[in-house]
Amino acid sequence: MRYRDADHRLLAALRDCGAEPRVAAVARALSFAGEHGAVWLAGGALAAAVDRERRAGWLRGAALVGAAHLASMGVKRVVRRSRPRLAAREPLVRTAGRHSFPSSHATSAAAAAVAYGALRPAGARLVPPLAAAMCVSRLVAGVHYPSDVLVGALLGGATARLGAGWMGRAPSPAPARLPARPPGRPRAALGAAS
């Protein structure tokens, strides 16, 4: 019960920050940009287009962002936690669905911070603060409890971290073919005869 009260009180305090018009505008813009991971997927595609050296990594990072987003949608369908309703405070944005746990915005933002941050130093400096702002915007907008955002960020970060090895790996070359073996000669002898 204490946990729920704290979750609700923190949400109410952050939603009150949305009374400031500039704060509300930023929260709305971030919420819109983060819908279905759009800003993170577009960022990965754009980076892949301009950073030829790490193109495969950027595309794999974007795939991890998409996978994290899909994972959060699956969890939402299982948990089915309703979105918060605050007395005398309407949400600042409309939502694509009625379930709040976990925050898919936070999931895709954290996945992008981990995945893209590993590819370039600029990504490590630029993406995490934007991802954190995206997470806070969902609280200021009044559409998620803090626990929704926390679990979403953990899910996104874990998804990207689990896929980090795949993301950084260059495409595998075709396997080398062994030369044809003359009839009656063992393979070991083939190498010695060459």
Side-chain angles (χ1 to χ4, degrees):
M1 193 64 131
R2 264 179 127 177
Y3 153 77
R4 280 187 155 168
D5 289 341
D7 215 23
H8 193 80
R9 279 195 310 267
L10 184 55
L11 168 63
L14 287 165
R15 174 59 188 90
D16 285 347
C17 294
E20 163 63 41
R22 290 177 293 195
V23 172
V26 170
R28 285 187 186 105
L30 287 168
S31 287
F32 177 75
E35 199 64 50
H36 303 294
V39 70
W40 311 115
L41 296 171
L46 177 63
V50 299
D51 185 1
R52 291 176 180 254
E53 180 184 340
R54 290 181 178 83
R55 175 172 286 152
W58 288 110
L59 293 174
R60 288 178 176 149
L64 289 172
V65 169
H69 181 78
L70 290 174
S72 74
M73 296 304 290
V75 173
K76 278 186 188 215
R77 291 186 184 273
V78 171
V79 175
R80 306 177 71 83
R81 181 182 193 182
S82 296
R83 294 210 180 258
R85 296 180 194 267
L86 296 171
R89 297 178 191 101
E90 289 295 316
L92 296 177
V93 296
R94 291 186 181 174
T95 60
R98 63 179 187 259
H99 300 118
S100 70
F101 184 90
S103 166
S104 295
H105 280 71
T107 302
S108 58
V114 171
Y116 301 157
L119 289 169
R120 285 277 187 197
R125 285 190 303 273
L126 299 174
V127 179
L130 184 57
M134 177 77 66
C135 291
V136 172
S137 79
R138 303 306 283 167
L139 301 169
V140 172
V143 294
H144 282 289
Y145 292 102
S147 57
D148 300 338
V149 172
L150 174 64
V151 172
L154 291 171
L155 176 61
T159 302
R161 188 73 188 122
L162 286 171
W166 172 71
M167 191 184 78
R169 191 171 49 220
S172 301
R177 296 189 54 90
L178 293 173
R181 171 173 54 144
R185 267 183 123 176
R187 241 184 237 288
L190 183 65
S194 303

